[in-house]
Amino acid sequence: MNAHVPDPVPVTVKTTCPYCGVGCGVLATPDGQGGAAIAGDPSHPANFGRLCSKGSALGETLSLDGRLLHPSVDGARASWDAALSTVADGFARIAAKHGPEAIAFYLSGQLLTEDYYVANKLAKGFIGTPNVDTNSRLCMSSAVAAHKRAFGSDTVPGCYEDLDEADVIVLVGSNTAWCHPILFRRMVDARTRRGTKLVVVDPRRTQTGEEADLFLGLEPGTDTALFSGLFVHLVETGAIDRRFVTEHTADFEAALERARTIAPDVAATARATGLAIADVAAFFALFAATPRVVTAFSQGVNQSAQGTDKGNAIINCHLATGRIGKPGCGPFSLTGQPNAMGGREVGGLANMLAAHMGFSAPDVDRVRRFWDAPAIVTGEGRKAVALFEGIRAGTVKALWVMGTNPLVSMPQADTIRESMGQLDLYVVSEAVDDSDTVRARGRTTVLLPALAWGEKDGTVTNSERRISRQRGFLPAPGEARADWAVMADVGRRLGFGAAFRFDGPAAVFREHAALSGFENAGSRDFDLTGVGAITDAAYADAAPLQWPLRDCGDGQARLFADGRFFTPDRRARFVAVEAPALASTPGPDFPFVLNTGRVRDHWHTMTRTGKSQRLSAHRAVPFVEIHPDDAAAAGLANGDLARVATFHGSAVLEVMVTAGVRPGSLFAPFHWSDATASDARVGALVRGVPDPVSGQPELKATPAAVAPVAYRHRGFLLARAPIRPPAGWWWARATVQGGAGLQFATQDSSREVALAMRGLFQGLDVADYADHGRGRYRCAVYDEGRLVACLALAPSAERPDWEAEKAYFAAPALEPSARRALLSGRAETASAGPTVCACHGVGLDVIAAAIAAGAGSVEAVGAACRAGTNCGSCIPEIRKMLPPALARDAA
Ligand SMILES: Nc1nc2c(c(=O)[nH]1)N[C@H]1C(S)=C(S)[C@@H](COP(=O)(O)OP(=O)(O)OC[C@H]3O[C@@H](n4cnc5c(=O)[nH]c(N)nc54)[C@H](O)[C@@H]3O)O[C@H]1N2
Ligand SMILES: Nc1nc2c(c(=O)[nH]1)N[C@H]1C(S)=C(S)[C@@H](COP(=O)(O)OP(=O)(O)OC[C@H]3O[C@@H](n4cnc5c(=O)[nH]c(N)nc54)[C@H](O)[C@@H]3O)O[C@H]1N2
Ligand code: SF4
Ligand SMILES: [Mo]
């Protein structure tokens, strides 16, 4: 090496977090070895430098372990040329034989806008299939439908500053503290700064609910009654804005009349929602008296068989009070995925065409002319549930899945998985080489490696309509390629070369922006005319920008302040909503209601957060929450294993007893899959009745049963590389520092387990301790003195805890006392307990000790043990541990 050449100065790249719809700006500084230092971007208007636990841990997810690096056809490695010929020839053959509608695309809000645009153009303009849908159907489509019914367009009226400037924030069906943590911190800041009150509406008392000034733990599915009651109350107490209603809206009377039949007064609302009269009255009074109210909602509203009505019931209250488009107020749909909004902009949903245009004759003709499209589709395609039904029924013959893991995340996921074998052609564009979706096979199966975050380059749009750049800062690994480029290649192979001649993502973006402004003149909300001619250089450097952006300069932060909407008469619509009704009610076989959702530190099917040991420490096994009374009646205690079953499937999950769920309800996260656990595909249990307007499936309320599952032994295994557990074991994987962790349960005797360990680690030095009479066994495996694996097994009731062993396993070298402790199970120092603060790896027991030693506030706990001092995502959990009186005072 030439000593005179200095190391290249690391270049920091501004990019955007690939997780939630908050869309935080990230500064990534590559380390030159495939990794990068990650920090929040202080100049980004979504986060001003903050990142939550998931964003902070992005650096731990960049390794190439488990990446899909080469194309393959039917399991055999193939060249790109051969793989794309298989795709293009397959599409041509299937279209010729069965018509283009037999080809379907299932896309994702995790694609970049440029990828999404090319997919939509290829399918809807050139192949001629309307069957393009996306995982946003499971996520946002009820919000889209509610917006369209009320505003005539899919417009989010407000912006994040409204959260800073509101006096009341109502969170409906949103665990914001865990799922949009940086926005939640803005809300908590507003409370500190201006006394903003937080109201949380959720059948489950989440960490968000714990932080609320008023928590409304309503019965599942009864939101339309709550907001109908509120609507009536606003009218009767004279809290409405008559002038706004008269001049800028329509259908007020019909909607009000319906609301009166659902919830005519406070008492009726309380009855319909299962809430206390006093709580309902307090909520109504607060809402009525506060001009600056934001009602933010997410999956407790959208993922419902009545999701669109829930959205409109909320919007009705904002229209009635004229609280829309003004600082500090408005209905606010919190988007889940990093590019949920971008997908809507390009028309990735089956019921949209492109650039917020639909299937009216003028829209279709306009898009046809703009694209010069030979095969423009003229009507809606199949929405996700119907799309997968079409595969089962044999009408859809080819499916291209891109950027999503539907064999885990679709409702009735086992049925979906079985139907893949029906496909003539199954194409999966993926970044990882193992997922339930990657494992499936059609008659012909093509796997295509995609660039992942840090490598890909393009744009995403966050919940407040702000477009930010995701920039690459790492080289493309293996043969992975950008999804847009791959689809453009397929377009060329199908003979549409001229329409797919993009020389980079900037060219795609320009065309997308130009289409948004084409014959628009203010008639459509989505308008990027101001950047329609953006140069490659300007695109490369582009700062975040908000749409609509009709001219150069700044976009528009709020819409509808002028009271003009995008309906034909420019008036907003009140919607008469239906009375609440669960799509499927519990009965004798399935007496519980199963609710599903998310945890703080995992992202969906864990293909990325699962790589981080910090993020895997917060919740390491798949679990089900159950109320103490129900647990007692079912003979279940905390930490037991239980089989949760519905009409559609079952899973074995660890029991978490908590008064946070209502009696009669269960809650399970849907993050685990066959790739990460033996029997925890929660999506397989979910019924998924679609909302009649949006087609979004109900994912929060499936009738279910729960029963104990007895295993003889429980244990854990830590190893340097993942180990395939013996058949018949219940297990869940989690990344730990220095390797892979496995928690398991088995009917095997301790002798059999000891034998299995010796078999697994043949040739290595196995030290062990056995008390087979009592069913106890521990071993530590060394390779030339280095600890490479350790296992502990005990009778189920004892469930060995792995925190101390995880610390030994992470250590570079072990003292003899540590070696003894591994076998005795008696750690030398007190264990930290399960992780609460992911950033600093601080455990529950350490925080409890700090509090016991006198730390009486979140700040004091932070000073004592650093917990909660970085991203702040764990602050609600820390606050919950403080004595209640102190907890409230601590800001
Ligand atoms: N940590 C983390 N953050 C994420 C994600 C992740 O995977 N992990 N995913 C992102 C994505 S794509 C999305 S869509 C968002 C989702 O963000 P959220 O919507 O906040 O998350 P969920 O946990 O799906 O559901 C929210 C709440 O709805 C409640 N709920 C269930 N039924 C009802 C009901 O009938 N009425 C009401 N009012 N509430 C009900 C549930 O109890 C749950 O607490 O999170 C985004 N952020
Ligand atoms: N039971 C239940 N089910 C649910 C939900 C629920 O609350 N309960 N929530 C629903 C919601 S809101 C959502 S958003 C979905 C999410 O569910 P999914 O979209 O199925 O989940 P992810 O794990 O995010 O899958 C994304 C996949 O894309 C890959 N990937 C990442 N980047 C790229 C890229 O640039 N290109 C390509 N080709 N691939 C890439 C990742 O490796 C990963 O495998 O789940 C839905 N399903
Ligand atoms: S809140 Fe967290 S997950 Fe969401 S964009 Fe910001 S850093 Fe990423
Ligand atoms: Mo989502």
Side-chain angles (χ1 to χ4, degrees):
M1 216 174 89
N2 185 337
H4 299 293
V5 179
D7 283 344
V9 179
V11 181
T12 296
V13 175
K14 285 190 177 195
T15 182
T16 311
C17 178
Y19 297 122
C20 82
V22 178
C24 296
V26 169
L27 300 177
T29 312
D31 61 11
Q33 318 197 332
I38 300 295
D41 178 356
S43 69
H44 197 287
N47 58 317
F48 300 106
R50 287 170 162 177
L51 292 176
C52 77
S53 49
K54 292 180 295 300
S56 307
L58 274 166
E60 286 186 35
T61 66
L62 300 175
S63 85
L64 297 183
D65 294 348
R67 282 291 300 275
L68 184 65
L69 296 174
H70 307 284
S72 68
V73 176
D74 292 333
R77 184 164 167 180
S79 65
W80 271 106
D81 186 48
L84 294 189
S85 291
T86 307
V87 176
D89 296 350
F91 279 0
R93 199 180 56 246
I94 288 165
K97 195 161 167 207
H98 304 283
E101 300 80 13
I103 299 168
F105 287 71
Y106 189 60
L107 309 173
S108 164
Q110 294 170 71
L111 296 173
L112 301 171
T113 300
E114 290 74 5
D115 300 323
Y116 236 141
Y117 178 83
V118 174
N120 197 57
K121 179 179 180 184
L122 176 64
K124 291 183 185 160
F126 290 79
I127 294 175
T129 176
N131 295 323
V132 179
D133 212 34
T134 133
N135 62 1
S136 284
R137 180 69 54 198
L138 316 181
C139 182
M140 302 313 313
S141 57
S142 288
V144 172
H147 289 156
K148 286 209 217 168
R149 287 205 298 192
F151 311 142
S153 58
D154 174 22
T155 314
V156 172
C159 59
Y160 293 164
E161 273 175 15
D162 293 331
L163 301 168
D164 307 333
E165 295 176 19
D167 293 315
V168 170
I169 299 173
V170 188
L171 295 168
V172 193
S174 167
N175 187 5
T176 332
W178 278 13
C179 295
H180 299 91
I182 296 302
L183 277 191
F184 190 69
R185 291 201 65 193
R186 281 177 82 152
M187 297 176 196
V188 172
D189 286 352
R191 175 160 75 187
T192 311
R193 212 180 45 250
R194 62 185 287 145
T196 305
K197 295 261 183 296
L198 294 183
V199 181
V200 173
V201 183
D202 192 316
R204 197 164 63 102
R205 193 188 276 270
T206 58
Q207 292 295 335
T208 313
E210 292 286 348
E211 294 277 293
D213 297 282
L214 178 61
F215 172 69
L216 300 175
L218 80 188
E219 268 174 32
T222 60
D223 305 72
T224 51
L226 182 66
F227 286 91
S228 294
L230 176 61
F231 182 23
V232 174
H233 177 86
L234 293 169
V235 174
E236 295 198 339
T237 55
I240 66 167
D241 182 341
R242 268 283 161 216
R243 199 172 138 208
F244 185 86
V245 170
T246 312
E247 290 178 5
H248 301 299
T249 71
D251 302 341
F252 173 83
E253 292 301 338
L256 179 61
E257 197 179 312
R258 180 68 62 74
R260 286 193 206 279
T261 67
I262 298 171
D265 53 33
V266 170
T269 308
R271 267 196 312 279
T273 55
L275 293 167
I277 290 183
D279 286 345
V280 173
F283 171 51
F284 287 3
L286 188 64
F287 194 108
T290 316
R292 287 178 172 236
V293 184
V294 172
T295 309
F297 58 97
S298 54
Q299 300 315 342
V301 169
N302 298 334
Q303 287 173 346
S304 153
Q306 291 183 306
T308 311
D309 272 0
K310 286 185 180 183
N312 284 112
I314 292 169
I315 295 170
N316 282 347
C317 295
H318 281 270
L319 290 175
T321 47
R323 293 177 191 161
I324 189 164
K326 300 176 197 154
C329 55
F332 203 146
S333 149
L334 298 177
T335 54
Q337 299 179 87
N339 203 23
M341 294 287 271
R344 286 144 72 165
E345 289 156 16
V346 303
L349 290 160
N351 52 324
M352 292 159 82
L353 183 51
H356 279 204
M357 284 178 273
F359 291 100
S360 69
D363 278 359
V364 170
D365 186 56
R366 186 178 302 114
V367 178
R368 183 189 60 76
R369 284 183 286 117
F370 182 86
W371 281 344
D372 194 12
I376 194 83
V377 298
T378 53
E380 291 187 8
R382 289 170 178 272
K383 298 170 182 164
V385 172
L387 191 157
F388 285 95
E389 271 167 14
I391 295 171
R392 198 164 67 247
T395 38
V396 172
K397 305 277 185 196
L399 174 69
W400 191 342
V401 176
M402 192 174 291
T404 171
N405 193 358
L407 274 62
V408 179
S409 56
M410 277 293 290
Q412 301 189 30
D414 283 351
T415 312
I416 304 261
R417 179 165 69 178
E418 279 156 27
S419 58
M420 293 300 106
Q422 297 271 90
L423 286 166
D424 286 343
L425 178 61
Y426 177 49
V427 186
V428 180
S429 290
E430 244 304 337
V432 300
D433 66 3
D434 187 22
S435 75
D436 294 12
T437 298
V438 165
R439 287 180 186 185
R441 289 284 172 266
R443 294 198 182 101
T444 299
T445 303
V446 181
L447 296 184
L448 302 173
L451 295 181
W453 185 78
E455 301 148 9
K456 58 185 182 175
D457 192 36
T459 56
V460 292
T461 308
N462 72 5
S463 297
E464 61 164 357
R465 293 173 273 102
R466 194 180 297 279
I467 300 174
S468 297
R469 292 277 278 106
Q470 262 195 29
R471 294 183 172 91
F473 54 88
L474 296 170
E479 295 176 18
R481 296 180 63 196
D483 291 312
W484 68 263
V486 171
M487 285 179 291
D489 236 357
V490 170
R492 277 190 289 273
R493 278 161 202 267
L494 289 169
F496 312 125
F500 294 92
R501 205 171 283 137
F502 302 110
D503 61 4
V508 181
F509 183 82
R510 272 192 295 273
E511 185 177 304
H512 163 62
L515 174 56
S516 76
F518 184 57
E519 299 174 1
N520 185 334
S523 64
R524 305 191 301 269
D525 65 337
F526 178 61
D527 192 340
L528 292 177
T529 302
V531 286
I534 192 169
T535 63
D536 284 10
Y539 178 84
D541 291 343
L545 38 97
Q546 211 166 13
W547 66 260
L549 192 71
R550 300 208 169 84
D551 321 294
C552 307
D554 290 338
Q556 202 177 320
R558 296 180 186 86
L559 290 99
F560 309 144
D562 58 358
R564 286 172 65 74
F565 296 84
F566 290 97
T567 51
D569 60 8
R570 292 287 189 168
R571 285 165 176 270
R573 293 289 184 279
F574 283 90
V575 177
V577 300
E578 300 294 329
L582 275 191
S584 24
T585 41
D589 292 340
F590 299 111
F592 290 90
V593 177
L594 173 66
N595 176 6
T596 63
R598 299 163 161 76
V599 303
R600 191 190 75 193
D601 287 353
H602 274 308
W603 177 262
H604 297 166
T605 69
M606 295 203 306
T607 56
R608 289 176 288 162
T609 49
K611 281 181 147 184
S612 157
Q613 59 90 7
R614 275 200 277 165
L615 298 180
S616 302
H618 182 242
R619 293 283 184 272
V621 291
F623 64 91
V624 58
E625 292 182 354
I626 183 169
H627 189 272
D629 297 347
D630 293 331
L636 288 167
N638 217 23
D640 287 356
L641 294 177
R643 180 170 296 281
V644 180
T646 70
F647 185 76
H648 306 282
S650 82
V652 176
L653 308 171
E654 197 172 273
V655 172
M656 194 179 276
V657 178
T658 165
V661 294
R662 294 173 63 93
S665 284
L666 303 171
F667 172 83
F670 76 105
H671 300 298
W672 281 267
S673 65
D674 274 358
T676 46
S678 60
D679 194 1
R681 285 168 45 83
V682 165
L685 280 69
V686 175
R687 177 155 177 212
V689 178
D691 174 278
V693 186
S694 68
Q696 176 156 359
E698 164 80 71
L699 303 176
K700 301 290 193 228
T702 305
V706 61
V709 182
Y711 278 97
R712 222 167 131 189
H713 296 113
R714 293 285 296 273
F716 64 79
L717 171 62
L718 301 172
R720 295 293 164 201
I723 285 185
R724 179 192 289 271
W729 286 22
W730 177 91
W731 54 266
R733 272 189 214 301
T735 296
V736 299
Q737 198 177 342
L742 194 73
Q743 301 218 23
F744 65 86
T746 174
Q747 306 294 12
D748 291 352
S749 70
S750 58
R751 271 181 222 287
E752 284 166 315
V753 173
L755 216 60
M757 287 300 286
R758 293 214 172 257
L760 271 173
F761 296 103
Q762 258 168 18
L764 297 178
D765 172 14
V766 181
D768 61 6
Y769 160 86
D771 180 351
H772 293 308
R774 291 197 170 81
R776 293 205 185 99
Y777 177 72
R778 286 182 160 263
C779 74
V781 183
Y782 298 93
D783 186 0
E784 297 185 353
R786 179 171 181 250
L787 179 68
V788 293
C790 66
L791 171 138
L793 182 85
S796 268
E798 289 173 26
R799 205 164 49 105
D801 173 76
W802 68 358
E803 296 302 333
E805 285 77 0
K806 269 168 61 184
Y808 291 132
F809 196 69
L814 291 185
E815 297 294 322
S817 57
R819 290 169 184 254
R820 282 194 300 276
L822 278 174
L823 298 188
S824 70
R826 278 186 291 276
E828 308 158 282
T829 49
S831 135
T835 300
V836 173
C837 170
C839 295
H840 294 305
V842 187
L844 189 84
D845 298 351
V846 174
I847 297 170
I851 293 169
S857 68
V858 168
E859 290 73 17
V861 168
C865 64
R866 300 177 76 204
T869 55
N870 184 43
C871 80
S873 301
C874 61
I875 288 176
E877 278 146 279
I878 297 174
R879 208 195 299 284
K880 200 181 169 190
M881 294 172 67
L882 294 167
L886 293 169
R888 271 292 136 233
D889 303 340

